[in-house]
Amino acid sequence: MLQSRARWKISETDSKQAEELAGQLEISPLLAHLLISRGMTDQEHAAAFLFGGTDHIHDPFLLDGMEQAVVRIRQALERGEKIRIYGDYDADGVSSTTLMVHLLRTLDASFDYYIPHRVHEGYGMNKPAVDLAKQEGISLIITVDTGISAVEEIAYASELGIDVIVTDHHEPPEVLPEAYSVINPKKPGCPYPFKQLAGVGVALKLAQALLGRWPEELLEFAAIGTVADLMPLLGENRAIVKQGIKRMQSSANWGIRALLDVSGVQMKDVNATHIGFSLAPRINASGRLNNADDAVRLLITDSEQEAEHLAYDLDSLNKERQRIVDDMTRQAMSMMEERKASGGLNKVIVLAHEDWNVGVIGIVASKLMDRFYRPTLILGIDKETGLAKGSARSIAGFDLYQALSHCHDLMEHFGGHQAAAGMTLSKDHLPELERRLNVLAEEWLKPGDFIPLLHADMECALDEVGVETIRQLEQLGPFGMGNPQPKFVFTNIRCQELRTIGKEQQHVKMTLIKGGGEAAATLDAVGFNKSAALPWISPSASMDILGELSINEWNGVRKPQIMIQDIRVPHVQLFDWRGASSKLEFKLRELNSRVSPLAEAEEGSGQPAVITFHPEDKQVRMKFMNTYPVWGMDPATGQGSPLNEPARRKPLSAVKDLVLYDLPAQLGALEQVIVSASGAERWYAVFSGSPANQGPLPNRDIFKTVYGAVLKLGDQAFPASYITEALSRRSGQSQQLIQFILDVFEELGFIQRRPEGYRAVSNPAKKDLTASRLYRQRQHSLDVEQTLVYSSAQELHEWISGKHKQMKPSLEEII
């Protein structure tokens, strides 16, 4: 077995319903299944999702505060007032600022923009920035992607005679700022039907209201912020991103073109994944390590040369950001290992350090959350002020914003939503914050919540996957939060080829196969950062794989492939180490140092137990007794006991990795071990030592021939050597085999051995050959050799797996 990293939840759909929907929309049944699995069960909703456009767009004046904002901005345009766009330093804030710059240019406004420095000023509005606006003659500030929590700062701006229009999408606090207008779909009482707009989405609605039309020329900027801020790509967001990507594929914006170029993305191929993993990180790098102004300049410049220069700078900053993140992540992981060693993991992780760059702490928090699957807070401490600025990421079931609200008295500032948040507090309050958050986690979270959950749309067969299938799936895009890339489960498949790839051999490449002969279906699969799983998958394993489908294009050839998300082996595995006795100690050390890469719950499973059927063997004591749990088994019955302290500390039924060091006297002994080791998931067959090699078991005709010859001797006695030699010549069997038959007859009381030789016993009791211990021993020995020594790896795997199924009827419950 190999446990999956996550719990798999596979959607169930009605095949008849899918066929009907496929016929109504003239789409493939596979696509219909996917639509139904995502809740679009009728023709109207499914058609709107697949083919809908601006019909998802709502009236911007449904946003509370929009009418007042439009009136005030038009007033400022008429009077020639100086307007300042006040943005944020992340990709949503940068794209929101960019969109407003292009809008106000179109409106021929007098304006500029301002983005606070992440390190020097922190998130949101601040009073020094308001003072600067007053000094520079600003009379109207329009915030984008910020401002909903700036109660004091906006009140201060009002005192200075500056009107503020807030456009934001973050969770509103209990007390809203008294701004000229507050536009936020999440604002209490706001009737706007779609609540999940990004900050740039709210800015786009303001542009729509001011222009009196759907501003298509601004959609590519709206798409960037919506995807980068992980907004659900449903409803209005889906329309924004879908249309924005279409414009981006032939973009005239020099900044977007240059950014795609340094990212290695062909403009015609750009999709939401490219935005999220290529464009957004480079835009974010500007605000994380330097000043977000560079990213805004890139997206608003009219100069191709300046765009190329700025894009190169952002790419360099992103590489530096990656280096810093890697260093901080290693340091954080080391801190976690120390905590685990000193008492285990808390339900909420809180780590802080003076040297950590607050610009990238959110990325580090995400990496640790993914690794340990716990709500995670990462904070950088300012040595001079003693303030800790942090970023948090959470798991399903733990609402960060609500949790921080319970701890508001400890913090100077906090904000965010269920899955992500930021906060500022004194470093002296960190222990109490950690304590309170863990108390809340104890109340809110169940043990199962700490196991990741992967949703798959449906089970699929390898022969259902083709280039055309994947092309059809693209109709469901753009993919992202709320509308993820379709995931499929492929069951009971094997590997024709399994190898590592990549510069550091950290990835895995597989050729999967199911079926046999000409009907066998094969498909390539790639698993990024999954190479650690290879030692845990035996060549004879049948796997289940959960993954996404993609097209690999190389030298003009397009082939489908699976992008592996998770792997499990739902059956007991056999690793064939026969013939590797000389390398056994090395193999055991390697196994002992491993922890399953796919399941945190399996930690420690790499500690193998050694099974020996010859506990008196000195080699066993020399090689294993001081290092591994060793169990000694009776070679005939399989009954055993722990031979050292490590084995006494852990029952055999709890061991997952078992090494079969030597051969039992009979298969029944090994079957008994399989029963005793009920929790075993992986067997390592060594079976060291030479088999008895006694030759085949004689058939009954040969037994009759030998017995008949002894009967003919009558009362005469002949030496054993004479009888064995004579019978060997007559029967063509070896003298050793003849001697074995004579020994069996003697044990059964059919003949007697006297000093002068063998003689037949008169009127012996009738007995079957199997009543002879020697006969049974030889029969068992031959069965052992045939099954455990001379079998192929696949045959041995099937035998052990079969015994598990016979002995453990509850195996499916464990799987």
Side-chain angles (χ1 to χ4, degrees):
M1 292 179 191
L2 177 63
Q3 303 294 345
S4 56
R5 181 186 62 84
R7 295 170 289 155
W8 296 6
K9 184 176 182 180
I10 306 172
S11 299
E12 296 183 2
T13 56
D14 185 279
S15 297
K16 184 178 180 181
Q17 187 182 28
E19 289 177 8
E20 291 177 356
L21 187 62
Q24 291 166 350
L25 298 178
E26 297 183 352
I27 58 176
S28 70
L30 178 64
L31 194 56
H33 271 284
L34 293 173
L35 287 167
I36 293 171
S37 74
R38 295 174 184 225
M40 287 159 281
T41 56
D42 61 83
Q43 182 179 356
E44 181 182 353
H45 287 96
F49 184 85
L50 285 179
F51 313 119
T54 54
D55 49 331
H56 285 293
I57 305 305
H58 304 294
D59 182 351
F61 288 99
L62 291 174
L63 282 160
D64 186 56
M66 181 63 78
E67 188 169 351
Q68 299 95 307
V70 169
V71 169
R72 179 65 184 89
I73 293 171
R74 284 177 176 161
Q75 184 183 73
L77 294 173
E78 292 170 0
R79 295 174 178 176
E81 296 179 55
K82 192 172 182 181
I83 303 170
R84 174 157 293 171
I85 306 164
Y86 197 107
D88 186 27
Y89 38 68
D90 68 1
D92 189 13
V94 166
S95 56
S96 301
T97 303
T98 299
L99 186 148
M100 288 301 297
V101 167
H102 284 285
L103 171 66
L104 293 181
R105 279 181 179 175
T106 300
L107 297 173
D108 199 24
S110 173
F111 74 95
D112 61 15
Y113 65 90
Y114 184 90
I115 297 180
H117 194 283
R118 182 190 291 262
V119 176
H120 303 317
E121 298 175 81
Y123 173 80
M125 292 184 70
N126 61 80
K127 290 181 178 179
V130 175
D131 287 332
L132 180 63
K134 179 64 176 178
Q135 294 169 17
E136 296 181 349
I138 302 296
S139 58
L140 176 62
I141 293 176
I142 303 174
T143 74
V144 287
D145 192 37
T146 189
I148 195 66
S149 299
V151 176
E152 293 183 11
E153 293 79 7
I154 290 175
Y156 182 64
S158 296
E159 292 174 8
L160 298 180
I162 301 174
D163 290 335
V164 179
I165 294 173
V166 173
T167 72
D168 201 353
H169 73 125
H170 293 98
E171 294 292 336
E174 291 185 8
V175 178
L176 294 177
E178 294 185 5
Y180 190 93
S181 174
V182 176
I183 305 172
N184 185 332
K186 297 177 182 175
K187 189 172 69 171
C190 178
Y192 197 73
F194 187 72
K195 305 294 184 181
Q196 300 300 319
L197 290 171
V200 72
V202 180
L204 182 72
K205 301 307 294 185
L206 178 58
Q208 182 186 2
L210 284 165
L211 295 173
R213 59 177 174 81
W214 183 234
E216 295 183 359
E217 69 275 16
L218 302 178
L219 290 176
E220 48 194 329
F221 310 118
I224 291 173
T226 301
V227 172
D229 217 43
L230 303 180
M231 293 296 103
L233 299 189
L234 300 170
E236 195 162 16
N237 282 344
R238 175 174 162 78
I240 290 170
V241 175
K242 190 173 184 178
Q243 295 175 43
I245 288 174
K246 187 175 181 180
R247 288 190 63 89
M248 200 178 294
Q249 289 171 346
S250 58
S251 179
N253 182 275
W254 291 118
I256 289 177
R257 293 168 71 100
L259 205 54
L260 289 171
D261 186 55
V262 297
S263 303
V265 178
Q266 294 290 324
M267 195 161 66
K268 64 179 178 62
D269 297 328
V270 67
N271 57 33
T273 300
H274 294 133
I275 293 175
F277 292 95
S278 296
L279 302 191
R282 288 169 171 81
I283 293 172
N284 275 324
S286 176
R288 293 185 191 280
L289 301 185
N290 196 358
N291 192 308
D293 184 63
D294 286 346
V296 176
R297 285 169 52 211
L298 169 69
L299 296 174
I300 65 174
T301 184
D302 293 325
S303 167
E304 180 181 8
Q305 186 176 3
E306 183 182 22
E308 291 175 352
H309 174 74
L310 289 169
Y312 175 81
D313 288 347
L314 292 188
D315 187 56
S316 299
L317 276 175
N318 189 51
K319 291 174 181 174
E320 174 65 10
R321 187 270 306 167
Q322 290 172 329
R323 185 194 64 78
I324 293 171
V325 167
D326 288 344
D327 289 345
M328 287 174 55
T329 301
R330 279 193 291 270
Q331 194 172 5
M333 290 293 185
S334 177
M335 294 168 69
M336 289 301 298
E337 292 302 323
E338 291 177 7
R339 290 194 176 191
K340 285 168 64 179
S342 62
L345 293 178
N346 285 334
K347 289 181 167 57
V348 178
I349 297 169
V350 180
L351 296 177
H353 200 281
E354 287 185 346
D355 296 327
W356 283 349
N357 187 318
V358 296
V360 298
I361 50 178
I363 302 173
V364 178
S366 293
K367 288 181 176 289
L368 262 71
M369 191 271 288
D370 289 341
R371 171 66 178 82
F372 298 103
Y373 204 70
R374 282 163 164 73
T376 302
L377 283 72
I378 302 294
L379 304 101
I381 300 173
D382 188 307
K383 296 179 183 179
E384 296 181 2
T385 66
L387 288 178
K389 292 185 179 180
S391 189
R393 300 293 183 269
S394 192
I395 63 176
F398 192 83
D399 189 319
L400 272 177
Y401 185 81
Q402 290 301 320
L404 293 175
S405 297
H406 283 275
C407 310
H408 65 91
D409 57 305
L410 299 176
M411 292 174 286
E412 294 195 4
H413 172 81
F414 74 94
H417 45 81
Q418 182 275 325
M423 71 293 299
T424 301
L425 68 159
S426 167
K427 66 177 182 180
D428 297 332
H429 291 161
L430 286 174
E432 177 62 12
L433 176 65
E434 183 174 15
R435 187 193 70 79
R436 290 195 200 177
L437 291 176
N438 275 283
V439 169
L440 291 172
E442 189 72 37
E443 296 176 4
W444 296 353
L445 297 173
K446 304 181 293 294
D449 292 329
F450 295 99
I451 303 174
L453 180 63
L454 277 176
H455 290 271
D457 292 88
M458 60 185 291
E459 286 193 29
C460 190
L462 293 185
D463 57 9
E464 292 182 83
V465 178
V467 172
E468 177 59 23
T469 306
I470 298 171
R471 189 195 64 77
Q472 292 178 11
L473 298 182
E474 292 172 357
Q475 296 179 61
L476 295 173
F479 300 116
M481 292 296 293
N483 184 41
Q485 184 96 13
K487 292 181 175 61
F488 301 91
V489 171
F490 301 86
T491 60
N492 194 28
I493 52 180
R494 297 182 60 190
C495 277
Q496 273 188 334
E497 182 184 10
L498 184 61
R499 59 189 175 90
T500 56
I501 57 175
K503 184 178 180 181
E504 298 178 1
Q505 301 297 298
Q506 72 273 38
H507 313 309
V508 63
K509 177 75 177 289
M510 301 180 182
T511 299
L512 306 176
I513 184 170
K514 185 168 184 178
E518 295 181 0
T522 62
L523 191 65
D524 288 340
V526 175
F528 288 111
N529 297 309
K530 296 240 178 336
S531 63
L534 260 65
W536 297 85
I537 301 173
S538 71
S540 57
S542 292
M543 298 178 291
D544 297 341
I545 286 180
L546 187 152
E548 300 171 355
L549 300 179
S550 69
I551 294 176
N552 178 33
E553 187 167 350
W554 180 255
N555 289 334
V557 178
R558 292 163 58 85
K559 294 176 60 178
Q561 66 180 4
I562 302 172
M563 306 306 295
I564 300 170
Q565 305 291 312
D566 205 359
I567 303 172
R568 68 187 179 197
V569 178
H571 61 79
V572 173
Q573 291 192 82
L574 172 78
F575 293 82
D576 190 357
W577 287 4
R578 293 174 295 181
S581 297
S582 61
K583 300 178 181 179
L584 180 57
E585 291 180 71
F586 169 78
K587 283 179 169 287
L588 281 171
R589 284 196 301 271
E590 184 183 45
L591 175 61
N592 196 41
S593 67
R594 295 199 310 248
V595 174
S596 169
L598 301 182
E600 182 70 19
E602 275 199 304
E603 186 161 347
S605 64
Q607 173 73 12
V610 176
I611 302 294
T612 176
F613 292 97
H614 303 281
E616 73 287 351
D617 187 346
K618 293 181 180 179
Q619 289 291 323
V620 173
R621 297 185 178 276
M622 290 173 56
K623 291 181 178 180
F624 312 125
M625 290 292 281
N626 295 328
T627 309
Y628 308 101
V630 181
W631 286 76
M633 303 293 175
D634 186 291
T637 66
Q639 300 295 328
S641 59
L643 298 184
N644 58 4
E645 187 57 33
R648 281 186 282 272
R649 286 198 298 264
K650 190 173 186 179
L652 188 60
S653 59
V655 179
K656 294 184 178 181
D657 293 270
L658 283 160
V659 178
L660 299 169
Y661 177 65
D662 43 30
L663 288 168
Q666 54 181 286
L667 291 176
L670 180 53
E671 291 175 2
Q672 182 57 47
V673 172
I674 292 173
V675 173
S676 302
S678 57
E681 297 186 357
R682 292 166 290 272
W683 295 89
Y684 303 83
V686 180
F687 298 137
S688 65
S690 301
N693 202 21
Q694 296 174 323
L697 191 68
N699 60 40
R700 291 180 179 270
D701 288 338
I702 298 175
F703 273 95
K704 290 179 180 179
T705 299
V706 172
Y707 187 61
V710 175
L711 284 176
K712 289 180 180 180
L713 297 176
D715 293 332
Q716 302 180 64
F718 290 89
S721 59
Y722 173 83
I723 294 176
T724 56
E725 184 178 348
L727 289 176
S728 176
R729 286 198 306 269
R730 184 186 306 175
S731 66
Q733 304 295 327
S734 68
Q735 292 187 39
Q736 291 84 353
L737 186 67
I738 301 299
Q739 185 61 59
F740 167 73
I741 293 172
L742 292 172
D743 292 341
V744 168
F745 285 151
E746 182 183 8
E747 182 186 0
L748 293 173
F750 294 171
I751 62 176
Q752 291 181 336
R753 184 199 292 258
R754 295 183 176 181
E756 63 273 19
Y758 285 108
R759 292 185 62 179
V761 174
S762 300
N763 300 316
K766 290 185 177 181
K767 295 180 182 178
D768 191 81
L769 289 174
T770 55
S772 163
R773 180 183 59 84
L774 289 174
Y775 184 91
R776 293 196 308 274
Q777 281 183 343
R778 183 157 185 155
Q779 189 175 45
H780 289 317
S781 178
L782 290 171
D783 288 343
V784 165
E785 291 175 17
Q786 186 62 38
T787 303
L788 305 183
V789 179
Y790 301 121
S791 58
S792 67
Q794 182 63 33
E795 290 169 338
L796 183 56
H797 162 256
E798 290 173 357
W799 187 86
I800 290 180
S801 180
K803 295 305 173 184
H804 266 274
K805 291 177 181 176
Q806 293 175 21
M807 306 295 183
K808 291 172 61 184
S810 61
L811 181 61
E812 291 300 321
E813 296 176 8
I814 296 173
I815 294 174

